[in-house]
């Protein structure tokens, strides 16, 4: 999930007037997209694009994608949808919008979420105004500075030879996935991983290896992926989180998450690492 073609605007600034932009127009959880011959994409155009949309709060200039300004706009949820656009949930757009644009769409959603949820100071309730030199808001009464939120979440593939631990949550249908959990205050990623493995499925792990990370803008997670080797314990699930967990053989996996998710990337990488060995044996 790289966005090499996207350069973030820093410090925060405004789009040069009159310049065409790619518009990330949100209406609650939904983004407005064009369904063109080339697929699904956010609309591109001049400032007239948003003239008739009822925007809540100032449009945010996020940066440039291949040189084109990218703008995030929070629309009134009751605002009518222009005839040439369609509203689709951000999750539903995963895999439909090109990956680099989807990354920016996620960034746009997280920033608008922050803009919406930071109008007042969390300490004193005073009005908060955007800072000029960074993405933050400063309370006009007590001076408290609030930043956009990012919530780290560890996601871990626990393996044991040719077996992998997969869990199931209510509502997932036939899909199973690796386990994940939020990092708590005062906790390292490794401590979080060990705690989640023990809490969610009752297992102890070792040989923790970092895999990679993925922003998960629902609304502001950062998934941090690891592999870990099973060390001991019997599966005992946390029924507040899961309704099942079990070991699955590499050649007999159930339905797993879609190809772009870090959960799937972990599983694909692990599967590829087991199968050549099996072929040689
Ligand atoms: Zn305050």
């Amino acid at each position: 999930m790289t966005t090499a073609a996207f350069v973030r605007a820093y410090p925060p600034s405004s789009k040069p007037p009159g310049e065409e932009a790619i518009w990330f127009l949100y209406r609650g959880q939904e983004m407005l997209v064009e369904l063109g011959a080339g697929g699904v994409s956010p609309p591109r155009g001049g400032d007239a694009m948003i003239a008739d949309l009822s925007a809540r709060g100032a449009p945010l200039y996020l940066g440039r994608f291949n040189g084109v300004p990218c703008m995030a706009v929070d629309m009134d949820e009751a605002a009518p949808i222009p005839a040439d656009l369609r509203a689709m949930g951000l999750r539903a757009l995963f895999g439909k919008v090109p990956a680099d644009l989807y990354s920016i769409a996620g960034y746009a959603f997280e920033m608008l979420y922050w803009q919406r949820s930071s109008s007042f100071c969390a300490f004193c309730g005073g009005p908060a105004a955007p800072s000029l030199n960074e993405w933050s808001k400063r309370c006009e009464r007590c001076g408290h500075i609030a930043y956009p939120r990012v919530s780290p979440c560890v996601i871990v593939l626990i393996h044991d030879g040719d077996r992998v631990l997969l869990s199931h949550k209510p509502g997932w249908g036939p899909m199973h996935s690796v386990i994940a959990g939020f990092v708590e205050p005062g906790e390292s990623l490794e401590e979080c991983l060990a705690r989640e493995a023990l809490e969610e499925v009752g297992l102890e792990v070792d040989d923790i290896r970092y895999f990679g990370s993925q922003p998960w803008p629902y609304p502001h997670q950062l998934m941090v992926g690891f592999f870990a080797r099973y060390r001991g314990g019997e599966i005992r699930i946390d029924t507040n989180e899961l309704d099942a967990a079990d070991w699955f053989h590499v050649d007999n996996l159930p339905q797993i998450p879609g190809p772009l998710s870090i959960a799937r990337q972990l599983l694909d990488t692990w599967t590829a690492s087991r199968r050549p060995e099996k072929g040689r044996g």
Side-chain angles (χ1 to χ4, degrees):
M1 300 291 134
T2 56
T3 52
F6 178 61
V7 179
R8 293 178 176 228
Y10 183 83
S13 55
S14 302
K15 179 178 81 65
E19 198 173 357
E20 279 207 353
I22 301 169
W23 297 92
F24 296 87
L25 307 170
Y26 277 95
R27 200 167 166 274
Q29 305 283 323
E30 295 183 320
M31 191 172 87
L32 302 192
V33 290
E34 285 178 338
L35 308 183
V40 180
S41 60
R44 183 172 166 165
D47 295 328
M49 181 76 74
I50 60 161
D52 295 332
L53 303 177
S54 39
R56 303 187 291 193
L60 299 178
Y61 171 51
L62 300 177
R64 288 175 181 268
F65 176 67
N66 292 331
V68 182
C70 295
M71 300 294 295
V73 181
D74 189 19
M75 293 170 57
D76 193 308
E77 285 183 49
I81 300 169
D84 52 341
L85 300 178
R86 272 192 54 192
M88 292 179 70
L90 184 57
R91 276 178 186 270
L93 288 167
F94 195 43
K96 295 195 172 68
V97 173
D100 38 16
L101 285 172
Y102 191 85
S103 292
I104 305 169
Y107 177 41
F109 181 79
E110 294 195 44
M111 293 303 284
L112 292 173
Y113 183 90
W114 171 68
Q115 187 184 49
R116 273 204 301 280
S117 59
S118 59
S119 301
F120 297 96
C121 175
F123 279 97
C124 76
S131 306
L132 296 178
N133 58 342
E134 60 178 6
W135 288 112
S136 68
K137 287 194 189 175
R138 188 172 190 280
C139 174
E140 293 174 356
R141 196 186 293 164
C142 78
H144 172 67
I145 296 175
Y147 294 91
R149 284 176 67 183
V150 177
S151 301
C153 185
V154 162
I155 181 165
V156 55
L157 182 150
I158 301 173
H159 54 89
D160 178 33
D162 277 340
R163 305 190 300 169
V164 61
L165 189 284
L166 294 175
S167 65
H168 185 270
K169 289 188 181 186
W172 274 5
M175 191 189 78
H176 287 62
S177 189
V178 298
I179 65 167
F182 284 103
V183 179
E184 294 189 345
E187 192 172 52
S188 71
L189 297 173
E190 294 84 352
E191 287 167 341
C192 171
L193 188 159
R195 177 181 55 75
E196 287 290 340
L198 203 56
E199 281 179 5
E200 287 204 14
V201 290
L203 301 182
E204 292 176 23
V205 297
D206 60 13
D207 193 22
I208 294 169
R209 304 286 172 98
Y210 176 67
F211 171 68
S213 64
Q214 180 177 54
W216 198 245
Y218 316 110
H220 44 60
Q221 282 100 287
L222 174 66
M223 308 303 291
V224 188
F226 292 90
F227 296 105
R229 188 173 59 196
Y230 168 71
R231 189 175 71 193
E234 293 294 321
I235 293 176
R236 177 180 41 75
I237 63 168
D238 174 2
T239 53
N240 292 317
E241 294 267 343
L242 306 174
D243 60 9
D246 210 342
W247 293 107
F248 291 85
H249 190 272
V250 62
D251 291 329
N252 192 28
L253 296 180
Q255 185 181 323
I256 54 177
L260 295 178
S261 64
I262 192 169
R264 177 60 171 268
Q265 293 169 28
L266 279 161
L267 279 158
D268 285 351
T269 302
W270 175 77
T271 300
S273 77
R274 300 309 300 176
R275 285 198 167 129
E277 196 170 296
K278 189 166 173 285
R280 285 199 301 273

